[in-house]
Structure formats: structure tokens, C-alpha cells
Amino acid sequence: TNITISIEEGPQYRMGKLTVRSADQDQGLVVRADYLQRAFPLKEGDIFNASKIRKSLDDYRKLYGEIGYIDFTAEPMFDVDDVKKIINLTLVMDQQKQYFVRRIDFSGNTTTRDKVIRRELLLDEGQVFNNRLWELSILRLNQLGYFNTIKPEDAELKRNTSAGTGDIDLKLK
């Protein structure tokens, strides 16, 4: 038997104005608003596209994660104009705190010397925590072939929020 499903798409909306602001009005934005707006995938007048917005939120999270803001989130707020068929968008950037690496420790490793492991790390104690460099460090350690595959959850980050530092404990087998 054939089943017919009727689909009604409704009107098409376009991107209106984009506003980017800090969630903390006292703090301001760490990354300049004009840079964040230029990096946004939709321009005024483009057909509104939710998946592009989701991807841009992920891109912003990665960008902030590279400069130590590992708890960053962006919340989209939509202002829909049903008459003009446009959606104005405000991105509220909750930057949280910037973190620096205090210590990097290894547990579970009994045979490989610490300096061999540290040589593969692109992050060092005292540096701004950079999520991308940490992910590349895990990749480099996995390419050595000395350990069982290291997964992101094998690294525990202990935050000291008052000091803005984090200790990394990497579990190796």
C-alpha cells in the first residue's frame, strides 16, 4: 500500500541582524565582536539555516578553547519578525574563566619514562590551556604505539577555579 504524506513547508525566513555580546556585561568580550561576526557563516539576507548556526556555536567553542576558555558556551537568542520574514540573532557569549596548565601527571605508566611522554605533549605546565593542542598531544601519544589507545576521557582535568589553573592527570596503560 502507498502512503501519501503531505508536507507544508511554511514561509522561508532570512537572516536579519547579528549581535554578539558577553553574558557578563562587566567583562566584555575576550575575542572582538567584529571578528566573531565576520566568522559567522550567515550574512544578512541569507536563507536562515539552523545547522549552520549549530556548527558556528561549535566553532566558537573550539576558538575559545584554544585560548584557555574551556567552559565557554554561546546561547543563541532569536527575534523573529513574521511580517518581514527575518530572524535577528543575538549570540550571548558566556566566556567563563581562562585556565592555565598547572601540572601534568601520568598514572598507570610503569615502563615509559616521563620525559619520553612529555616530549609528545604540545602543552606545557604554565601555558594557557589549549584544547586543540591537547587533542593533538593525545594523537601524538597514540601514534607512538607504546600504550593502549588513549581516549579523551583518559585525561582528568582538575580545575582550580579561584586560581584559574588546571591539573591534568593522564591515565596510561
Side-chain angles (χ1 to χ4, degrees), residues 29-69:
L29 290 168
V30 175
V31 179
R32 289 179 30 192
D34 62 334
Y35 175 81
L36 294 169
Q37 287 168 316
R38 274 199 315 275
F40 193 73
L42 294 176
K43 302 299 173 227
E44 203 169 331
D46 287 354
I47 294 168
F48 198 81
N49 183 323
S51 64
K52 282 188 177 178
I53 292 172
R54 276 192 296 278
K55 183 180 180 327
S56 74
L57 297 180
D58 192 46
D59 290 345
Y60 288 140
R61 187 185 52 73
K62 288 176 184 170
L63 170 70
Y64 270 86
E66 288 180 18
I67 55 174
Y69 292 86

Side-chain angles (χ1 to χ4, degrees), residues 7-104:
I7 297 173
E8 192 177 317
E9 289 184 350
Q12 193 174 60
Y13 282 75
R14 295 199 173 267
M15 179 72 191
K17 296 227 178 304
L18 173 67
T19 306
V20 179
R21 68 171 175 84
S22 174
D24 180 355
Q25 294 303 323
D26 297 334
Q27 187 183 22
L29 290 168
V30 175
V31 179
R32 289 179 30 192
D34 62 334
Y35 175 81
L36 294 169
Q37 287 168 316
R38 274 199 315 275
F40 193 73
L42 294 176
K43 302 299 173 227
E44 203 169 331
D46 287 354
I47 294 168
F48 198 81
N49 183 323
S51 64
K52 282 188 177 178
I53 292 172
R54 276 192 296 278
K55 183 180 180 327
S56 74
L57 297 180
D58 192 46
D59 290 345
Y60 288 140
R61 187 185 52 73
K62 288 176 184 170
L63 170 70
Y64 270 86
E66 288 180 18
I67 55 174
Y69 292 86
I70 54 180
D71 296 325
F72 167 86
T73 57
E75 181 188 349
M77 294 170 57
F78 305 98
D79 175 25
V80 180
D81 183 331
D82 285 320
V83 176
K84 294 180 182 169
K85 302 289 184 243
I86 61 169
I87 300 174
N88 295 309
L89 177 63
T90 300
L91 296 178
V92 181
M93 308 303 218
D94 191 356
Q95 300 166 131
Q96 300 288 325
K97 193 173 195 75
Q98 186 180 37
Y99 283 88
F100 291 80
V101 179
R102 190 177 75 95
R103 290 182 49 87
I104 301 174

